[in-house]
Amino acid sequence: MITVSLCMIVRNEEKVLDRCLSTVADLVDEIVIVDTGSTDATKELARRYTERIYDFQWIDDFSAARNFAFSKAQMDYIYSADADEVLSAENRERFLQLKATLLPEIEIVQMKYSNQLQYGAVYNFDEEYRPKLFKRKRDFVWESPIHETVRLEPVVYDSDIVITHLQEESHAKRDLALFHRYCSSGLRLSKRLFDLYARELMIAGDKGDLVRALPYFAAAAADLERDSFEVAQACCVAAKAARLSGDMITFLKYTSKGLAGEECSEICCELGHFYEEHRDYEEAVIWYYNAVYETQPVLNIHAGGMEGLEGLTRCYDALGCPEQAQNYRKEMAVHEERQA
């Protein structure tokens, strides 16, 4: 049977920490808690479960904090958890079975992360696999009988364990503030972080968040080192920011650039919103229809579904066409059922 270190970074988690630890503490062989500056009873609660509690000065870097936590682990594998996660009785049993049967060559175990849409900020799906269990020391292995090479890709196992995410509130404002700070300092976001920043803005950002981000994404849309997909994402953010701020010249620039590149549902929705706001419902209908039926989303899955369908319903109501509006209400109901 493998041994497991639970490693967590926490800050002001007194509302949820006991709930989390009570479902996992007896499944692991040691618990490492790294506190990044709590001012509540978080550390007192943690001491009910472990003495291995460390302070880490917060430097606006989640990776640095998690690396510090991992450095304190001593068991075979490291289980990385957040304070707002819980394991049900069924999944506690699955975790124990995994410990008893995991093959030593497995280096990463993925678990299903559920309830992501409760405070959705960057996620389009309520459940997805995430890497959660990591082998602490990696064994390098030669492979291939000829032209041998060291295996570089980790051996990953997709388990049937489901982690329930019970977030107390949205973290979008915190995340967007960090993104803005990084970008303002001149940091060039990787493709992955660029996608996450754009996605969080489109799904959870308000007018202020989008307007603050506009210069960065306008520059990204003209960046020759960004690929066409990233340029399309940048145009989506810039177009929405421009529409919300009433800058029609900039709005026209990025909707046109978006349509000339990789056509996407988000640009069509932005045009739908624009014409609807100006009470040109017939034109708005064309763009909402294109958002749902002729294009695909690049950031927010709802742009190609509920957002466009709701727009079609509103516009046909405004045009005095109740039958068409009712048809799209039925389509919305079908869409919601598929998403459930």
Side-chain angles (χ1 to χ4, degrees):
M1 177 181 290
I2 64 166
T3 58
V4 176
S5 302
L6 170 64
C7 288
M8 301 176 66
I9 60 171
V10 297
R11 183 178 185 179
N12 293 338
E13 302 287 4
E14 66 177 6
K15 292 182 180 179
V16 296
L17 183 60
D18 186 67
R19 182 184 66 189
C20 171
L21 290 174
S22 66
T23 69
V24 73
D26 60 331
L27 305 179
V28 299
D29 302 281
E30 70 169 353
I31 298 174
V32 174
I33 303 288
V34 171
D35 189 275
T36 62
S38 292
T39 56
D40 62 5
T42 294
K43 288 200 281 189
E44 287 74 10
L45 286 168
R47 287 193 185 97
R48 298 178 187 176
Y49 295 91
T50 182
E51 292 300 318
R52 301 199 61 202
I53 300 171
Y54 303 89
D55 290 314
F56 182 83
Q57 184 175 354
W58 181 241
I59 54 173
D60 288 342
D61 190 330
F62 284 97
S63 290
R66 290 201 188 277
N67 284 334
F68 179 75
F70 274 32
S71 75
K72 302 299 182 181
Q74 298 175 341
M75 299 296 123
D76 301 330
Y77 284 80
I78 299 172
Y79 177 54
S80 179
D82 291 327
D84 54 9
E85 299 173 8
V86 296
L87 284 173
S88 67
E90 178 183 7
N91 288 290
R92 280 169 47 81
E93 183 60 33
R94 288 172 175 170
F95 196 103
L96 288 173
Q97 291 174 1
L98 180 75
K99 282 188 68 177
T101 60
L102 189 67
L103 298 174
E105 59 264 30
I106 301 297
E107 295 169 320
I108 296 175
V109 176
Q110 296 205 119
M111 302 176 187
K112 292 180 180 178
Y113 209 68
S114 71
N115 200 39
Q116 295 189 134
L117 298 181
Q118 181 184 12
Y119 288 103
V122 296
Y123 303 109
N124 286 314
F125 302 99
D126 204 42
E127 184 176 281
E128 69 172 359
Y129 270 117
R130 286 191 185 183
K132 296 294 289 182
L133 189 69
F134 307 87
K135 195 168 188 179
R136 187 171 64 88
K137 289 187 177 180
R138 187 176 185 188
D139 298 320
F140 288 99
V141 176
W142 289 90
E143 59 184 6
S144 300
I146 189 171
H147 297 302
E148 69 281 0
T149 186
V150 171
R151 187 185 70 229
L152 300 179
E153 293 298 321
V155 180
V156 180
Y157 170 65
D158 293 340
S159 75
D160 58 357
I161 298 171
V162 180
I163 300 165
T164 304
H165 185 216
L166 296 178
Q167 193 171 327
E168 292 288 302
E169 60 185 12
S170 173
H171 295 155
K173 278 294 180 184
R174 176 201 69 187
D175 295 344
L176 290 171
L178 284 174
F179 272 124
H180 179 66
R181 197 174 306 144
Y182 291 158
C183 294
S184 298
S185 69
L187 175 73
R188 179 182 175 82
L189 296 180
S190 66
K191 185 179 179 69
R192 172 179 169 272
L193 286 179
F194 185 87
D195 173 84
L196 289 172
Y197 188 18
R199 193 179 301 277
E200 194 152 10
L201 283 165
M202 293 296 287
I203 295 175
D206 59 23
K207 177 181 174 180
D209 298 321
L210 283 148
V211 171
R212 280 190 292 274
L214 177 55
Y216 182 82
F217 283 92
D223 188 343
L224 297 179
E225 294 185 11
R226 295 283 181 191
D227 63 31
S228 61
F229 193 77
E230 291 172 292
V231 170
Q233 292 176 319
C235 288
C236 291
V237 174
K240 185 172 183 177
R243 177 179 64 83
L244 291 175
S245 62
D247 183 350
M248 292 303 101
I249 299 291
T250 301
F251 177 76
L252 178 63
K253 176 179 179 178
Y254 289 105
T255 51
S256 299
K257 188 177 182 71
L259 291 172
E262 293 199 14
E263 295 182 5
C264 61
S265 301
E266 289 88 346
I267 290 293
C268 293
C269 271
E270 285 306 310
L271 287 162
H273 287 304
F274 172 80
Y275 286 110
E276 184 182 359
E277 288 164 3
H278 288 79
R279 299 185 180 182
D280 188 344
Y281 301 113
E282 291 181 347
E283 188 68 21
V285 160
I286 294 172
W287 291 107
Y288 284 135
Y289 183 92
N290 274 274
V292 178
Y293 300 107
E294 301 296 337
T295 54
Q296 296 294 321
V298 296
L299 289 167
N300 183 359
I301 194 172
H302 300 297
M306 290 300 292
E307 184 178 352
L309 291 169
E310 288 170 352
L312 286 165
T313 303
R314 290 192 305 269
C315 289
Y316 277 117
D317 277 333
L319 288 167
C321 302
E323 289 185 7
Q324 287 93 328
Q326 184 59 25
N327 286 336
Y328 286 112
R329 285 192 181 91
K330 291 178 181 178
E331 186 73 19
M332 287 166 59
V334 171
H335 189 80
E336 284 183 329
E337 187 175 329
R338 288 173 183 164
Q339 294 296 312

